[in-house]
Amino acid sequence: MMNIRFWGTRGSIASPGKSTVKYGGNTSCVEVRAGNQILIFDAGTGIRDLGNELIKEFKSEPVTLHLFISHTHWDHIQGFPFFMPAYNKNFQIIIYGPPARDKSLKDLFKLQMDSEYFPVPLGGLNAQIIMQEVREPFRIGDLMVTSFYMNHPSMTLAYKIFDGKKTFVYATDNEPYRYTLHAARKDQLGSQYGAELDQKFIEFISGADFIVCEAQYTLEEYRSKIGWGHSPIESIVEFAIKANVKQLALYHHDPSHDDATIDAIVKHAQKLLSTQKSSVQCFGAAEGMVVKLA
Ligand SMILES: [Zn+2]
Ligand SMILES: [Zn+2]
């Protein structure tokens, strides 16, 4: 049994206000309770409220949190300095993520808490913080964790959690290779090689019971944003169908998309799925939403 809760569903930058009440304005953060493990995916601004709830729930009990970072763009780490469990000695926080080409995961975290950016340094936090650069598949108790490098302008990982029965995938900030490589090479070979790489992503998410997947752009918007590391909704739908996933949560909403626009994007995705007689269940991830995988 896995319990999934969305604390932040927005991509790029927090976008609070009247027009984003339904889907929420906080950036990327998803909590997964699997058995007695607490997993958190990304530390966007949504992690602040999650942290406050965890403090209330566990009071002075010792707790271990497993925090998976997809990559260290602002919208995925900016909430971390405001995550109260990090200031509390009862918490052990294991941070998993990819290293950069020339920096360790720890250095990436240290940088955003440098005194020019934030008053408290990473070393000044009271929780026990353990940095774990992800390379191989590994276990957390009964859970199997595997990862996959996606196409984004920073080392970016998707994570797959298998509890012995159900599979959860967190895959945000990913652009189809076939468009990026086609644009870079301007020939068919680019599209062909790109499609082969996209197939590896489809294999990684294949058969997932639940996938949280970015859906940042409409096809129209995507055309002027090739190489920015995000997907048009059509590609997400295509990948989900090919991978035969069961449930697809559209996530990492563009900050310029108000609730009505996201409603229309979700409807469009559902229509694409039904036209192709797909059984994939698709909905828009909204802050506060809870999904149970049993
Ligand atoms: Zn992002
Ligand atoms: Zn990013």
Side-chain angles (χ1 to χ4, degrees), residues 177-183 185-198:
Y177 272 108
R178 78 189 116 126
Y179 298 131
T180 337
L181 292 184
H182 179 76
R185 292 181 52 106
K186 297 183 174 45
D187 66 10
Q188 269 320 102
L189 211 61
S191 321
Q192 196 186 318
Y193 183 49
E196 283 168 26
L197 291 172
D198 291 336

mmCIF file of all heavy atoms in Angstrom, residues 177-183 185-198:
data_model
loop_
_atom_site.group_PDB
_atom_site.id
_atom_site.type_symbol
_atom_site.label_atom_id
_atom_site.label_comp_id
_atom_site.label_asym_id
_atom_site.label_seq_id
_atom_site.Cartn_x
_atom_site.Cartn_y
_atom_site.Cartn_z
ATOM 1 N N TYR A 177 13.720 13.179 -26.434
ATOM 2 C CA TYR A 177 15.013 13.298 -27.125
ATOM 3 C C TYR A 177 14.840 13.546 -28.620
ATOM 4 O O TYR A 177 15.620 14.226 -29.247
ATOM 5 C CB TYR A 177 15.828 12.007 -26.950
ATOM 6 C CG TYR A 177 16.679 11.977 -25.711
ATOM 7 C CD1 TYR A 177 16.343 11.163 -24.636
ATOM 8 C CD2 TYR A 177 17.849 12.733 -25.623
ATOM 9 C CE1 TYR A 177 17.145 11.103 -23.501
ATOM 10 C CE2 TYR A 177 18.646 12.684 -24.484
ATOM 11 C CZ TYR A 177 18.292 11.867 -23.433
ATOM 12 O OH TYR A 177 19.077 11.816 -22.319
ATOM 13 N N ARG A 178 13.766 12.946 -29.178
ATOM 14 C CA ARG A 178 13.694 13.018 -30.648
ATOM 15 C C ARG A 178 13.515 14.441 -31.153
ATOM 16 O O ARG A 178 13.996 14.796 -32.216
ATOM 17 C CB ARG A 178 12.612 12.082 -31.180
ATOM 18 C CG ARG A 178 11.211 12.570 -31.047
ATOM 19 C CD ARG A 178 10.281 11.459 -31.407
ATOM 20 N NE ARG A 178 9.530 11.132 -30.225
ATOM 21 C CZ ARG A 178 8.201 11.115 -30.200
ATOM 22 N NH1 ARG A 178 7.516 11.301 -31.280
ATOM 23 N NH2 ARG A 178 7.565 10.858 -29.088
ATOM 24 N N TYR A 179 12.872 15.307 -30.345
ATOM 25 C CA TYR A 179 12.728 16.707 -30.765
ATOM 26 C C TYR A 179 14.020 17.483 -30.525
ATOM 27 O O TYR A 179 14.444 18.278 -31.355
ATOM 28 C CB TYR A 179 11.588 17.384 -30.008
ATOM 29 C CG TYR A 179 10.239 16.749 -30.266
ATOM 30 C CD1 TYR A 179 9.395 16.413 -29.218
ATOM 31 C CD2 TYR A 179 9.822 16.483 -31.572
ATOM 32 C CE1 TYR A 179 8.164 15.827 -29.447
ATOM 33 C CE2 TYR A 179 8.593 15.884 -31.803
ATOM 34 C CZ TYR A 179 7.773 15.563 -30.741
ATOM 35 O OH TYR A 179 6.564 14.973 -30.970
ATOM 36 N N THR A 180 14.660 17.255 -29.357
ATOM 37 C CA THR A 180 15.900 17.983 -29.047
ATOM 38 C C THR A 180 16.985 17.624 -30.052
ATOM 39 O O THR A 180 17.679 18.505 -30.573
ATOM 40 C CB THR A 180 16.453 17.591 -27.647
ATOM 41 O OG1 THR A 180 15.405 17.084 -26.854
ATOM 42 C CG2 THR A 180 17.109 18.754 -26.968
ATOM 43 N N LEU A 181 17.131 16.326 -30.318
ATOM 44 C CA LEU A 181 18.211 15.908 -31.219
ATOM 45 C C LEU A 181 17.915 16.311 -32.657
ATOM 46 O O LEU A 181 18.816 16.662 -33.407
ATOM 47 C CB LEU A 181 18.445 14.398 -31.112
ATOM 48 C CG LEU A 181 19.030 13.949 -29.762
ATOM 49 C CD1 LEU A 181 19.328 12.464 -29.766
ATOM 50 C CD2 LEU A 181 20.305 14.720 -29.431
ATOM 51 N N HIS A 182 16.629 16.274 -33.022
ATOM 52 C CA HIS A 182 16.261 16.706 -34.375
ATOM 53 C C HIS A 182 16.614 18.196 -34.542
ATOM 54 O O HIS A 182 17.194 18.605 -35.544
ATOM 55 C CB HIS A 182 14.777 16.475 -34.645
ATOM 56 C CG HIS A 182 14.366 16.928 -36.012
ATOM 57 N ND1 HIS A 182 14.662 16.200 -37.132
ATOM 58 C CD2 HIS A 182 13.734 18.047 -36.432
ATOM 59 C CE1 HIS A 182 14.214 16.857 -38.195
ATOM 60 N NE2 HIS A 182 13.643 17.980 -37.792
ATOM 61 N N ALA A 183 16.275 18.999 -33.521
ATOM 62 C CA ALA A 183 16.558 20.439 -33.592
ATOM 63 C C ALA A 183 18.066 20.693 -33.612
ATOM 64 O O ALA A 183 18.543 21.599 -34.293
ATOM 65 C CB ALA A 183 15.926 21.149 -32.397
ATOM 66 N N ARG A 185 20.501 18.548 -34.706
ATOM 67 C CA ARG A 185 21.179 18.023 -35.901
ATOM 68 C C ARG A 185 20.508 18.451 -37.201
ATOM 69 O O ARG A 185 21.104 18.398 -38.261
ATOM 70 C CB ARG A 185 21.191 16.494 -35.856
ATOM 71 C CG ARG A 185 22.064 15.893 -34.767
ATOM 72 C CD ARG A 185 21.997 14.376 -34.875
ATOM 73 N NE ARG A 185 22.282 13.933 -36.230
ATOM 74 C CZ ARG A 185 23.416 13.354 -36.619
ATOM 75 N NH1 ARG A 185 24.355 13.138 -35.735
ATOM 76 N NH2 ARG A 185 23.607 12.997 -37.877
ATOM 77 N N LYS A 186 19.229 18.801 -37.073
ATOM 78 C CA LYS A 186 18.425 19.192 -38.234
ATOM 79 C C LYS A 186 18.378 18.097 -39.305
ATOM 80 O O LYS A 186 18.408 18.380 -40.496
ATOM 81 C CB LYS A 186 18.933 20.504 -38.846
ATOM 82 C CG LYS A 186 18.806 21.668 -37.875
ATOM 83 C CD LYS A 186 19.236 22.967 -38.494
ATOM 84 C CE LYS A 186 18.989 24.159 -37.591
ATOM 85 N NZ LYS A 186 19.382 23.995 -36.196
ATOM 86 N N ASP A 187 18.334 16.847 -38.871
ATOM 87 C CA ASP A 187 18.178 15.773 -39.853
ATOM 88 C C ASP A 187 17.402 14.595 -39.259
ATOM 89 O O ASP A 187 17.126 14.573 -38.065
ATOM 90 C CB ASP A 187 19.539 15.325 -40.403
ATOM 91 C CG ASP A 187 20.395 14.660 -39.324
ATOM 92 O OD1 ASP A 187 19.873 14.385 -38.224
ATOM 93 O OD2 ASP A 187 21.585 14.439 -39.581
ATOM 94 N N GLN A 188 17.087 13.643 -40.104
ATOM 95 C CA GLN A 188 16.287 12.491 -39.695
ATOM 96 C C GLN A 188 17.006 11.614 -38.700
ATOM 97 O O GLN A 188 16.393 10.991 -37.837
ATOM 98 C CB GLN A 188 15.900 11.654 -40.939
ATOM 99 C CG GLN A 188 14.581 12.053 -41.556
ATOM 100 C CD GLN A 188 13.505 12.376 -40.523
ATOM 101 O OE1 GLN A 188 13.206 13.536 -40.250
ATOM 102 N NE2 GLN A 188 12.922 11.344 -39.916
ATOM 103 N N LEU A 189 18.355 11.564 -38.833
ATOM 104 C CA LEU A 189 19.147 10.732 -37.930
ATOM 105 C C LEU A 189 18.944 11.190 -36.480
ATOM 106 O O LEU A 189 18.879 10.379 -35.563
ATOM 107 C CB LEU A 189 20.621 10.817 -38.315
ATOM 108 C CG LEU A 189 21.433 9.559 -38.025
ATOM 109 C CD1 LEU A 189 20.890 8.376 -38.811
ATOM 110 C CD2 LEU A 189 22.897 9.804 -38.396
ATOM 111 N N GLY A 190 18.820 12.509 -36.290
ATOM 112 C CA GLY A 190 18.578 13.074 -34.962
ATOM 113 C C GLY A 190 17.288 12.531 -34.387
ATOM 114 O O GLY A 190 17.238 12.053 -33.252
ATOM 115 N N SER A 191 16.208 12.570 -35.202
ATOM 116 C CA SER A 191 14.913 12.068 -34.728
ATOM 117 C C SER A 191 14.981 10.580 -34.439
ATOM 118 O O SER A 191 14.423 10.094 -33.460
ATOM 119 C CB SER A 191 13.820 12.284 -35.768
ATOM 120 O OG SER A 191 13.982 13.495 -36.398
ATOM 121 N N GLN A 192 15.680 9.867 -35.325
ATOM 122 C CA GLN A 192 15.753 8.412 -35.197
ATOM 123 C C GLN A 192 16.507 8.003 -33.927
ATOM 124 O O GLN A 192 16.032 7.189 -33.142
ATOM 125 C CB GLN A 192 16.484 7.869 -36.430
ATOM 126 C CG GLN A 192 16.324 6.381 -36.648
ATOM 127 C CD GLN A 192 17.216 5.955 -37.810
ATOM 128 O OE1 GLN A 192 17.320 6.636 -38.840
ATOM 129 N NE2 GLN A 192 17.899 4.840 -37.611
ATOM 130 N N TYR A 193 17.674 8.626 -33.720
ATOM 131 C CA TYR A 193 18.469 8.314 -32.526
ATOM 132 C C TYR A 193 17.705 8.759 -31.272
ATOM 133 O O TYR A 193 17.675 8.059 -30.263
ATOM 134 C CB TYR A 193 19.839 9.002 -32.629
ATOM 135 C CG TYR A 193 20.758 8.683 -31.475
ATOM 136 C CD1 TYR A 193 20.956 7.358 -31.065
ATOM 137 C CD2 TYR A 193 21.436 9.690 -30.789
ATOM 138 C CE1 TYR A 193 21.791 7.057 -29.998
ATOM 139 C CE2 TYR A 193 22.270 9.393 -29.721
ATOM 140 C CZ TYR A 193 22.449 8.080 -29.326
ATOM 141 O OH TYR A 193 23.263 7.797 -28.267
ATOM 142 N N GLY A 194 17.047 9.938 -31.377
ATOM 143 C CA GLY A 194 16.262 10.447 -30.257
ATOM 144 C C GLY A 194 15.139 9.498 -29.882
ATOM 145 O O GLY A 194 14.888 9.239 -28.704
ATOM 146 N N ALA A 195 14.463 8.949 -30.905
ATOM 147 C CA ALA A 195 13.352 8.022 -30.644
ATOM 148 C C ALA A 195 13.850 6.767 -29.924
ATOM 149 O O ALA A 195 13.161 6.226 -29.050
ATOM 150 C CB ALA A 195 12.666 7.653 -31.954
ATOM 151 N N GLU A 196 15.065 6.339 -30.273
ATOM 152 C CA GLU A 196 15.636 5.168 -29.586
ATOM 153 C C GLU A 196 15.871 5.485 -28.110
ATOM 154 O O GLU A 196 15.640 4.649 -27.239
ATOM 155 C CB GLU A 196 16.968 4.760 -30.236
ATOM 156 C CG GLU A 196 16.770 4.001 -31.544
ATOM 157 C CD GLU A 196 18.067 3.856 -32.326
ATOM 158 O OE1 GLU A 196 19.149 3.869 -31.721
ATOM 159 O OE2 GLU A 196 17.964 3.747 -33.566
ATOM 160 N N LEU A 197 16.354 6.703 -27.835
ATOM 161 C CA LEU A 197 16.582 7.096 -26.432
ATOM 162 C C LEU A 197 15.250 7.241 -25.688
ATOM 163 O O LEU A 197 15.128 6.860 -24.530
ATOM 164 C CB LEU A 197 17.378 8.403 -26.375
ATOM 165 C CG LEU A 197 18.832 8.308 -26.846
ATOM 166 C CD1 LEU A 197 19.466 9.687 -26.936
ATOM 167 C CD2 LEU A 197 19.658 7.432 -25.902
ATOM 168 N N ASP A 198 14.237 7.793 -26.377
ATOM 169 C CA ASP A 198 12.911 7.922 -25.750
ATOM 170 C C ASP A 198 12.349 6.545 -25.395
ATOM 171 O O ASP A 198 11.642 6.384 -24.404
ATOM 172 C CB ASP A 198 11.930 8.646 -26.693
ATOM 173 C CG ASP A 198 12.296 10.115 -26.870
ATOM 174 O OD1 ASP A 198 12.960 10.671 -25.977
ATOM 175 O OD2 ASP A 198 11.918 10.695 -27.905
#
